[in-house]
């Protein structure tokens, strides 16, 4: 029994149609609202019994077009300004198609996709100024990349016995700024250290880590018999886009002989822009760096990356000797070290192709222009907010994130702004998200999509103005 057809012509015709339709779907993105709520009856249709009989592919495609395609997460849309989401790009879309059909397993062995991934890792290191022979791995996203960094830092602090004996109550302590992403405490939790092992360092009014508080915390923990083992600097905080003083943190980590990790989930991409690279000074000194190509670099999901300066330590954290996965000097089982020894996954898809094709199609100059565009739009939005007395800016704009709110109105301003954001999303005009800044509910516009223009910023503010006036 084969799953292949006798005659490929129908598959070929359907495949061509799918590609044409999806290209139209992207090309015509501006004609659609940014987001639409999926009706309950369509959700219900997706809840079907496990299929026992086959269904013809044209019917499946029809279901995709009717049940799935109109209800996207809005990433592709220029009016998507919520959370931290990249918009995808044409080279990346086509690479996904190729990788899907190619369907290789990038856990290891001797084939070209492994070489493509190695090249992408070397380019990633070059992007931020880390050594090009640094270790690294493509992963789902920065949550996994940060998790890997914690495990490598734990291994560096406790030696290889930690892999056999576990923590043995070693009182390890890590540090990150108060606005660090939630995946950092979760990584400590998953690494068996517990979230209490993360000591939160306060930030100044600029939302950057107070580095003298970091120095004091390390000294106090040492005096109390704890083992400081990891400092996480954030390059682009999720709430406001603030960038920690990475050079100062690198100095402190080096002086205290502690692992220096940078969470640059989106901010590391700013290293491509000559305008914004100076903000990241010190990133090149990181022992490890987590970041995503699927955010500001616009590679289709998912495309996370971990870089580790010393590949031997990364191997020392994950490598296993297994008879059924022996790495040979020749044959298909050759080409060590295999990616499966650099992280927790054995089977892995060909994530590298969409990154390789995106970087080659647009070059670092093209992606730097995307970074500059997002930062310019953020400054434009902040300036327009400054001109409107009914709006207030809630945090300084460093990169491409703007936190603000409607500051005039009757009743609970938090509720007013929260409802405004939901109304905006449901109106289809724009999709910012929310967060809390200094106790105030903020409208958060994160300008990651490469299709967003000044007109989209104007539409966002016009949409807010109309909603506010209709509520009065
Ligand atoms: C600063 C920061 N770190 C980590 C993450 C987690 O990244 P991912 O969603 O790729 O797991 C994010 C996500 O927005 C982030 O902004």
């Amino acid at each position: 029994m084969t799953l292949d057809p006798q005659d490929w012509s129908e598959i070929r015709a359907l495949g061509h149609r799918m590609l044409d339709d999806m290209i139209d779907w992207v090309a015509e993105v501006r004609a659609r609202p940014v987001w639409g709520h999926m009706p309950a009856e369509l959700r219900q249709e997706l809840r079907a019994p496990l299929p026992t009989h086959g269904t013809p592919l044209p019917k499946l495609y029809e279901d995709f077009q009717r049940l799935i395609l109109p209800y996207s997460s809005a990433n592709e849309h220029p009016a998507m300004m919520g959370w931290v989401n990249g918009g995808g790009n044409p080279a990346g879309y086509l690479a996904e198609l190729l990788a899907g059909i190619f369907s290789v397993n990038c856990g290891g062995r001797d084939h070209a996709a492994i070489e493509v991934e190695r090249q992408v890792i070397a380019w990633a290191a070059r992007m931020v100024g880390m050594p090009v022979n640094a270790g690294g791995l493509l992963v789902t996203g920065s949550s996994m990349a940060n998790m890997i960094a914690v495990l490598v830092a734990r291994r560096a602090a406790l030696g290889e016995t930690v892999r056999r004996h576990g923590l043995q109550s070693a009182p390890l302590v890590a540090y990150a700024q108060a606005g660090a992403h939630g995946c950092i405490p979760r990584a400590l939790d998953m690494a068996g250290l517990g979230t209490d092992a993360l000591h939160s360092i306060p930030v100044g009014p600029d939302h950057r880590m107070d580095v003298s508080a970091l120095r004091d915390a390390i000294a106090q923990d040492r005096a109390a018999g704890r083992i400081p083992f990891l400092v996480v600097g954030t390059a682009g905080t999720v709430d406001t886009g603030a960038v920690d003083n990475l050079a100062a943190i690198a100095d402190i980590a080096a002086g205290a002989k502690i692992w220096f990790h940078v969470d640059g989930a989106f901010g590391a991409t700013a290293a491509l822009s000559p305008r914004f690279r100076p903000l990241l000074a010190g990133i090149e000194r990181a022992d490890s760096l987590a970041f995503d190509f699927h955010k500001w670099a616009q590679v289709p999901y998912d495309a996370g990356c971990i870089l580790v300066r010393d590949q031997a330590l990364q191997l020392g954290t994950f490598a296993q000797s297994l008879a059924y996965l022996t790495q040979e000097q020749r044959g298909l089982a050759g080409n060590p070290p295999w990616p499966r020894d650099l992280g927790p996954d054995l089977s892995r898809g060909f994530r590298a192709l969409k990154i390789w094709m995106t970087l080659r199609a647009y070059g670092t100059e093209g992606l730097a222009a995307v970074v500059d565009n997002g930062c310019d739009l953020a400054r434009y939005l902040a300036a327009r907010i400054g001109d409107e007395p009914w709006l207030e800016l809630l945090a300084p704009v460093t990169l491409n994130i703007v936190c603000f709110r409607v500051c005039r109105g009757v009743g609970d301003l938090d509720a007013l702004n929260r409802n405004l954001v939901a109304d905006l999303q449901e109106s289809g005009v724009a999709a910012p998200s929310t967060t809390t800044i200094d106790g105030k509910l903020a409208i958060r516009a994160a300008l990651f999509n490469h299709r967003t223009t000044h007109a989209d910023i104007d539409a966002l503010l016009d949409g807010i103005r109309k909603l506010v006036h209709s509520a009065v």
Side-chain angles (χ1 to χ4, degrees), residues 84 140-144 146 181 183 234 236-238 263 265-266 292 294-295:
V84 178
T140 41
S142 284
S143 299
M144 178 54 84
N146 283 314
H181 193 269
C183 67
T234 305
T237 59
V238 62
D263 176 7
F266 64 89
D292 288 315
H294 59 217
K295 292 186 163 76

Side-chain angles (χ1 to χ4, degrees), residues 39-99:
E41 60 276 16
L42 297 187
R43 289 174 203 254
Q44 191 52 41
E45 249 192 84
L46 284 175
R47 291 186 199 116
L50 176 68
T52 47
H53 303 300
T55 304
L57 276 178
K59 162 68 179 145
L60 300 184
Y61 182 47
E62 197 187 299
D63 284 354
F64 171 80
Q65 287 180 302
R66 194 171 53 82
L67 297 174
I68 300 171
L69 191 58
Y71 310 105
S72 91
S73 69
N75 283 355
E76 72 287 353
H77 203 287
M80 171 61 165
M81 302 171 187
W83 301 275
V84 178
N85 285 281
N89 75 80
Y93 302 145
L94 296 179
E96 278 289 69
L97 179 78
L98 301 179

Side-chain angles (χ1 to χ4, degrees), residues 94-155:
L94 296 179
E96 278 289 69
L97 179 78
L98 301 179
I101 299 175
F102 201 39
S103 195
V104 290
N105 185 340
C106 289
R109 291 171 281 273
D110 193 359
H111 55 105
I114 302 288
E115 301 306 330
V116 177
E117 179 157 348
R118 288 177 183 155
Q119 176 61 81
V120 164
I121 294 295
W123 282 342
R126 168 91 58 202
M127 276 169 59
V128 293
M130 280 174 73
V132 284
N133 63 350
L137 192 69
L138 299 178
V139 292
T140 41
S142 284
S143 299
M144 178 54 84
N146 283 314
M147 170 73 193
I148 290 175
V150 167
L151 293 172
V152 180
R154 190 186 71 159
R155 161 74 175 74

